Amino acid sequence: MKRFSFRLDNILNYRNYLEKKAQRDLFDVRNQRMERENRVKRLAGKRIESVIQCRDEAMKGLDVSMYKIYQAFLQKLDHDLERAHMDFQEEEKKVKAQEKILKKESIKKKALENLKDLQLKDYMKRLEQEEQKYMDEMVIIRRGEKA
């Protein structure tokens, strides 16, 4: 009997490639999300430091022009923080979408692997049956020679 070959091996290899590509893409998107999260944290920390510094300066006595500069700077930080938060939420959506893609690709690959396993089991069963048939024929031939 010929050796086992799975006719859809090329497709299975391609599914493996797609799954690995989806994993890399998910890794990249997660890294971008972490960068956005770190940016939000840095901006929030910078804002807190600036508010504390402005308050301390105001306690010591601060002229109006310097106070307006602080307020403009804080408004800019608020705007940047809001934008960074929105970017982070967008990245979060991208991560979820990429996780769905990875799951879909994994399911497709697993289906082909299961089909391959079933065909291999069927092949092994037929191989065993043919081997048993051959052994039975050998026994019958030997019994015929002895008689």
Side-chain angles (χ1 to χ4, degrees):
M1 184 175 213
K2 65 179 182 172
R3 85 183 184 107
F4 176 74
S5 68
F6 184 57
R7 293 185 313 176
L8 302 175
D9 253 342
N10 290 337
I11 295 173
L12 182 59
N13 291 339
Y14 181 65
R15 294 275 187 223
N16 264 330
Y17 164 77
L18 290 177
E19 182 185 33
K20 288 192 186 332
K21 182 181 179 301
Q23 286 173 342
R24 283 190 307 271
D25 292 346
L26 178 60
F27 179 76
D28 292 342
V29 170
R30 282 183 176 165
N31 280 342
Q32 279 190 310
R33 181 190 63 185
M34 281 179 39
E35 287 175 14
R36 301 284 192 232
E37 184 178 15
N38 290 338
R39 184 166 189 260
V40 168
K41 288 177 181 176
R42 275 194 320 272
L43 286 172
K46 194 173 187 179
R47 185 184 185 289
I48 290 171
E49 288 175 17
S50 297
V51 166
I52 290 171
Q53 187 178 3
C54 180
R55 188 188 62 203
D56 291 346
E57 291 289 328
M59 293 287 197
K60 294 177 185 174
L62 184 65
D63 59 12
V64 175
S65 62
M66 194 62 170
Y67 183 76
K68 286 186 178 185
I69 290 173
Y70 270 114
Q71 290 305 314
F73 182 69
L74 288 173
Q75 284 180 344
K76 171 78 167 101
L77 276 178
D78 286 341
H79 181 266
D80 290 349
L81 187 59
E82 185 178 320
R83 182 70 208 153
H85 207 16
M86 289 170 51
D87 290 345
F88 173 73
Q89 288 174 343
E90 286 177 26
E91 289 299 323
E92 192 70 33
K93 288 177 187 175
K94 286 180 185 178
V95 166
K96 288 181 182 181
Q98 194 61 42
E99 285 173 344
K100 285 181 184 178
I101 290 171
L102 176 59
K103 185 176 180 181
K104 185 176 80 172
E105 293 300 333
S106 294
I107 288 171
K108 286 179 181 179
K109 184 192 81 161
K110 192 67 176 167
L112 276 178
E113 286 176 343
N114 288 340
L115 179 62
K116 183 178 181 177
D117 289 344
L118 285 173
Q119 287 183 3
L120 179 61
K121 285 179 185 177
D122 186 47
Y123 170 81
M124 296 302 284
K125 184 178 177 183
R126 282 188 280 131
L127 184 65
E128 192 176 297
Q129 287 173 346
E130 284 187 23
E131 197 174 302
Q132 185 62 43
K133 184 178 175 182
Y134 176 75
M135 297 300 270
D136 290 346
E137 288 176 2
M138 292 301 286
V139 169
I140 290 173
I141 290 172
R142 285 190 180 162
R143 282 189 185 168
E145 288 177 359
K146 288 184 181 177

